[in-house]
Amino acid sequence: MGLFGKLKSGLNSASKHLRKRHFRMTAAELAENWEKLRDAGGVYFSLKKHAQPHEIDKIRRDGEGELEKIEIWYYAEGEDEGVYEREKERFDPGSEVWIHLSEAQYEKLVEKYGNFLERFEGG
């Protein structure tokens, strides 16, 4: 492979880590798929497609039936700029959330689990 080929290959690899894919799902669907998603490493969520995303630390179901809530533990920038603190929010199971993955993370998940995210793809 010549110098141009190596450069092009390196750029393609780097762009896979920069290009983002967005998936819309409910908090309950996020909880159901969390074990698979966390294999991607560094999974981010937001409440709107183009809102500031936060890295998810863990997902936990709390309660049952009508009282069930989905807890999303995540890292958010604290009062001191550049210092991230762990926070928790509780959502109704039907609340809409957006998951943000790089192209490389997405490909890793598809290779390991198949295309389980296809139905959530939000463009």
Side-chain angles (χ1 to χ4, degrees), residues 24-49:
R24 180 177 52 202
M25 59 183 67
T26 66
E29 291 167 333
L30 173 58
E32 290 166 14
N33 289 289
W34 179 239
E35 291 300 315
K36 293 176 185 175
L37 283 166
R38 73 183 200 171
D39 276 352
V43 177
Y44 286 76
F45 92 102
S46 64
L47 299 180
K48 295 183 179 175
K49 183 176 180 180

Side-chain angles (χ1 to χ4, degrees), residues 52 54 74-85 87:
Q52 176 65 40
H54 298 287
Y74 62 95
Y75 297 102
E77 193 165 6
E79 291 181 23
D80 297 330
E81 192 172 317
V83 177
Y84 288 82
E85 300 171 353
E87 298 195 15

Side-chain angles (χ1 to χ4, degrees), residues 53-68:
H54 298 287
E55 184 176 1
I56 300 172
D57 179 43
K58 70 178 181 178
I59 306 289
R60 188 173 154 265
R61 288 179 177 269
D62 186 37
E64 293 181 18
E66 291 182 20
L67 300 176
E68 182 181 37

